């Protein structure tokens, strides 16, 4: 490995994915110090990741036992909304299957719409999204983003209505 790459103060982090898994040795030779494995997009991490980790270790050893780190990027917590039982969606549907594709009820949100996000164990309703995890709602401040459906929809907190409720504008 080039002395310039070996003596630098910065580290090169490479995210491994389907297109780069076969190029681990090449990436190490190019100067990668850390391989990032994204656990969020792996269906069976226990079966899928050990062979990749073994390949990284083997390639590092084959190139002079280079110190190559492995970073496991875990997804953050997922906080569920309360159900929207019995609602009729704006599109005329019955709420079944909206949102996560798993048969859960849902509501349609439109960009620019204002909705209320509140801490409660009651079912949600049109214009009101509820969650039983009150600490999350109480921690929100004006300007914070709230991601729904793994980030496919974004709400922006625009006001505090009570300790257990905020108003949000739908951005995406």
């Amino acid at each position: 490995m080039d002395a310039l790459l070996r003596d630098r103060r910065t580290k090169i982090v490479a995210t491994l994915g389907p297109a780069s898994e076969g190029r681990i040795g090449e990436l190490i030779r190019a100067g990668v110090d850390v391989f990032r494995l994204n656990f969020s997009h792996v269906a069976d991490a226990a079966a899928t990741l050990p062979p990749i980790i073994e390949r990284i270790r083997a390639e590092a050893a084959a190139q002079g036992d280079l110190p190559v780190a492995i970073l496991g990027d875990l997804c953050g917590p997922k906080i569920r909304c309360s159900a929207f039982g019995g609602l009729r969606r704006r599109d005329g549907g019955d709420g079944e299957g909206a949102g996560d594709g798993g048969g859960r009820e849902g509501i349609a949100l439109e960009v620019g719409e204002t909705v209320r996000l509140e801490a409660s164990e009651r079912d949600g309703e049109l214009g009101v999204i509820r969650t039983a995890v009150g600490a999350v709602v109480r921690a929100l401040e004006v300007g914070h983003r709230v991601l729904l459906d793994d980030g496919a929809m974004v709400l922006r907190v625009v006001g505090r209505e009570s300790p257990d409720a905020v108003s949000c504008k739908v951005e995406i």
Side-chain angles (χ1 to χ4, degrees), residues 75-90:
C75 66
K78 295 192 181 200
I79 297 166
R80 299 278 178 205
C81 296
S82 298
F84 292 93
L87 275 182
R88 304 294 283 167
R89 294 190 333 232
R90 285 193 191 117

Side-chain angles (χ1 to χ4, degrees), residues 20-146:
S20 58
E21 285 176 23
R23 302 177 68 190
I24 292 171
E26 181 183 340
L27 290 166
I28 292 173
R29 284 188 295 280
V32 167
D33 300 291
V34 180
F35 284 99
R36 174 183 168 269
L37 304 178
N38 189 348
F39 285 57
S40 299
H41 300 290
V42 177
D44 185 7
T48 306
L49 297 176
I52 296 169
I53 292 169
E54 289 172 20
R55 261 199 327 271
I56 293 169
R57 294 287 176 233
E59 287 289 347
Q63 295 185 37
D65 217 16
L66 295 174
V68 176
I70 298 172
L71 171 69
D73 190 354
L74 306 173
C75 66
K78 295 192 181 200
I79 297 166
R80 299 278 178 205
C81 296
S82 298
F84 292 93
L87 275 182
R88 304 294 283 167
R89 294 190 333 232
R90 285 193 191 117
D91 63 4
D94 63 3
E96 293 297 321
D100 68 356
R104 292 175 49 108
E105 299 90 11
I107 58 171
L109 298 176
E110 297 177 13
V111 173
E113 176 182 7
T114 300
V115 296
R116 179 180 169 101
L117 178 61
E118 67 180 45
S120 172
E121 293 190 22
R122 296 180 312 159
D123 282 355
E125 55 192 74
L126 287 179
V128 182
I129 300 169
R130 295 189 174 104
T131 180
V133 187
V136 171
V137 177
R138 288 187 288 279
L140 290 171
E141 297 177 8
V142 172
H144 281 176
R145 290 182 320 147
V146 178

